[in-house]
Amino acid sequence: MSDHPNPVHPAGVDPAMVTAVLHGGPASLTAEQRRRLVAPEQRKIKIPWLGGYEHFERDLVTGVDHGAAVVFQWTARTRVAE
């Protein structure tokens, strides 16, 4: 089982969701953690990571037809407020 909050699971996938690929940010994010399902209109992704949050914003669409992946580019890291 994966540690991240939004894993991509082939079985039972909501057809309205699209695949997002996260570019940039911490090198310690695995390939699995960089792929997730999001709503088609989603513009930002914030994921908890090592005592803070990594922020990604929608960049561009790659691929064609049903195989398209939405690319989110890393924009910033914030720390968890204490």
Side-chain angles (χ1 to χ4, degrees), residues 14-28:
D14 180 347
M17 303 295 270
V18 296
T19 301
V21 177
L22 307 180
H23 284 200
S28 56

Side-chain angles (χ1 to χ4, degrees), residues 1-70:
M1 180 167 235
S2 178
D3 294 352
H4 57 93
N6 189 6
V8 176
H9 295 290
V13 171
D14 180 347
M17 303 295 270
V18 296
T19 301
V21 177
L22 307 180
H23 284 200
S28 56
L29 284 173
T30 67
E32 180 185 72
Q33 292 166 314
R34 291 180 179 278
R35 294 185 68 83
R36 54 193 56 234
L37 293 177
V38 298
E41 67 279 358
Q42 189 163 336
R43 299 286 175 242
K44 296 181 179 184
I45 295 173
K46 178 174 89 170
I47 59 171
W49 192 251
L50 301 176
Y53 294 98
E54 301 301 332
H55 299 264
F56 297 83
E57 292 187 18
R58 191 179 190 128
D59 188 10
L60 53 94
V61 176
T62 59
V64 293
D65 299 330
H66 304 293
V70 180

